Amino acid sequence: MTVQLGIVMDPIDQIKVYKDSSFAMLLAAQARGWQLWYLTLSDLYLVNGEAWGTMRPVTVRDDTKDWFTLGEAISRPLAELQTILMRKDPPFDLEYIAATYLLEQAERAGVLVVNKPQSLRDANEKLYTAWFPQCCAPNLVTRKASQIKDFLQEHGEIILKPLDGMGGSSIFRLQHGDLNTSVIIETITQHGKRFIMAQRYIPAILQQGDKRILLINGEPMPYALARIPAQGEFRGNLAAGARGEGVALTERDYWICQQVGATLRERGLMFVGIDVIGDYLTEINVTSPTGIRELDKFYQLDIAGQLMDFLAKRLAA
């Protein structure tokens, strides 16, 4: 029987095909003869507790000018699909959380949802590193300016970032003695109304970059995408102008993956991208991790294909 695969993602007509990991997954699933169904967040709904979706069949082509064709929309229970890829980008807001509850109802009806909806809610991409303190540089999560200033005093140079952002947005690098310290803290905490994360600044980012390591069911790919900050920048995000380079995983990288891998498997986090700077784990990306297309190009891999093969085994089991 042909696998019916649904994908919940941002508008497909606005993606950048050459670097979009969700698109790579669609290509890999289609290559296996699976039927693809496209949804956005607004296409999900509940009827008397049953999860439904207004979905459109989609075919894809690896062509940067003409990459998809959508068929006529139909409404049907999500339980008629075998698997659903939840690939909606952050922000991780109330709308995103509501969508995970809808997908959890589909999961209860027997659909394999990637990643597990409850774990998407539980594993905040910044905060979840706290479950693995042995892997992390000194860090602090707080709303209080006084605690952030004490942390800055202790470490001399720190990074401040919101808990719900992506792509390097609203990240600050702060040095002791900076005259903008108070206004930066007021801005990022919204005058003490929002929790933020502070991390000790890791200078290795400037030469080694921010490494994205992809894991399928807790097992890492052997190469990472090192995102080297642009000249005059400190953020290792492609969206912030960083350049991507392929690098082999180090012994320390494998150790970090070993520390987190079993927990990811237990929580049903089947496709994850962890971020490593120098020797330290900085983020665990579970919503819509990227890097597939770049690593495939550098090393002639088929990461999305490996994910589909894993899902096929799970469905068969």
Side-chain angles (χ1 to χ4, degrees):
M1 183 177 68
T2 300
V3 173
Q4 302 285 313
L5 178 143
I7 185 166
V8 180
M9 59 184 288
D10 290 304
I12 194 170
D13 62 333
Q14 298 176 24
I15 65 174
K16 296 179 180 178
V17 172
Y18 66 94
K19 68 172 189 175
D20 193 278
S21 291
S22 299
F23 187 74
M25 294 177 188
L26 290 173
L27 287 171
Q30 182 174 269
R32 285 154 176 75
W34 296 7
Q35 173 67 61
L36 311 180
W37 297 92
Y38 164 77
L39 307 95
T40 61
L41 214 63
S42 62
D43 293 320
L44 302 173
Y45 61 104
L46 283 178
V47 179
N48 299 322
E50 183 180 31
W52 281 63
T54 300
M55 59 188 76
R56 302 178 70 176
V58 59
T59 56
V60 289
R61 298 169 293 279
D62 200 0
D63 182 338
T64 58
K65 296 181 180 179
D66 178 27
W67 60 90
F68 72 99
T69 301
L70 294 175
E72 291 296 319
I74 64 171
S75 292
R76 60 195 293 213
L78 296 184
E80 293 183 8
L81 305 174
Q82 276 77 58
T83 185
I84 297 173
L85 305 176
M86 177 48 162
R87 293 285 303 175
K88 173 71 178 70
D89 285 343
F92 188 87
D93 53 15
L94 185 57
E95 292 303 300
Y96 189 101
I97 292 172
T100 66
Y101 284 115
L102 273 63
L103 291 171
E104 193 167 12
Q105 288 298 87
E107 184 183 53
R108 290 181 63 191
V111 182
L112 177 62
V113 182
V114 184
N115 286 313
K116 186 177 179 65
Q118 180 181 344
S119 294
L120 288 175
R121 294 194 299 271
D122 290 348
N124 176 275
E125 299 187 330
K126 311 296 191 296
L127 282 173
Y128 198 48
T129 57
W131 271 246
F132 311 98
Q134 72 275 22
C135 302
C136 302
N139 60 83
L140 170 74
V141 176
T142 184
R143 298 167 64 162
K144 292 185 177 180
S146 60
Q147 293 176 340
I148 298 171
K149 290 177 179 178
D150 288 345
F151 188 77
L152 175 60
Q153 173 76 26
E154 179 181 0
H155 297 288
E157 191 167 7
I158 64 175
I159 295 294
L160 301 179
K161 54 188 176 182
L163 300 179
D164 59 352
M166 66 171 292
S169 63
S170 301
I171 293 180
F172 294 91
R173 176 179 169 185
L174 191 56
Q175 295 175 306
H176 180 61
D178 192 321
L179 296 179
N180 292 308
T181 295
S182 292
V183 71
I184 288 173
I185 294 173
E186 290 167 5
T187 299
I188 196 169
T189 66
Q190 296 179 359
H191 294 271
K193 297 177 182 177
R194 183 172 70 169
F195 284 105
I196 60 94
M197 173 172 279
Q199 292 175 327
R200 186 180 69 192
Y201 175 67
I202 307 169
I205 191 171
L206 296 181
Q207 287 76 39
Q208 301 175 23
D210 184 350
K211 290 186 289 189
R212 167 61 54 83
I213 302 172
L214 298 176
L215 300 94
I216 296 176
N217 198 36
E219 296 297 329
M221 300 298 101
Y223 303 99
L225 179 64
R227 297 157 297 175
I228 313 296
Q231 185 69 30
E233 262 284 0
F234 68 91
R235 295 174 297 173
N237 303 89
L238 298 180
R243 73 178 190 276
E245 296 181 358
V247 295
L249 264 59
T250 66
E251 184 177 341
R252 173 72 177 187
D253 295 335
Y254 278 113
W255 179 82
I256 292 173
C257 292
Q258 185 181 47
Q259 298 298 301
V260 305
T263 300
L264 299 179
R265 282 192 293 273
E266 291 168 4
R267 287 184 169 269
L269 294 168
M270 291 164 266
F271 185 71
V272 172
I274 66 170
D275 291 344
V276 174
I277 301 175
D279 289 335
Y280 301 106
L281 174 69
T282 60
E283 292 188 16
I284 301 176
N285 298 275
V286 302
T287 52
S288 56
T290 60
I292 288 178
R293 304 223 75 185
E294 294 90 344
L295 287 172
D296 281 356
K297 182 179 179 181
F298 289 144
Y299 297 107
Q300 290 73 56
L301 303 175
D302 182 16
I303 297 171
Q306 292 183 55
L307 176 62
M308 295 308 130
D309 290 343
F310 166 73
L311 297 183
K313 291 178 181 178
R314 283 289 302 269
L315 292 171

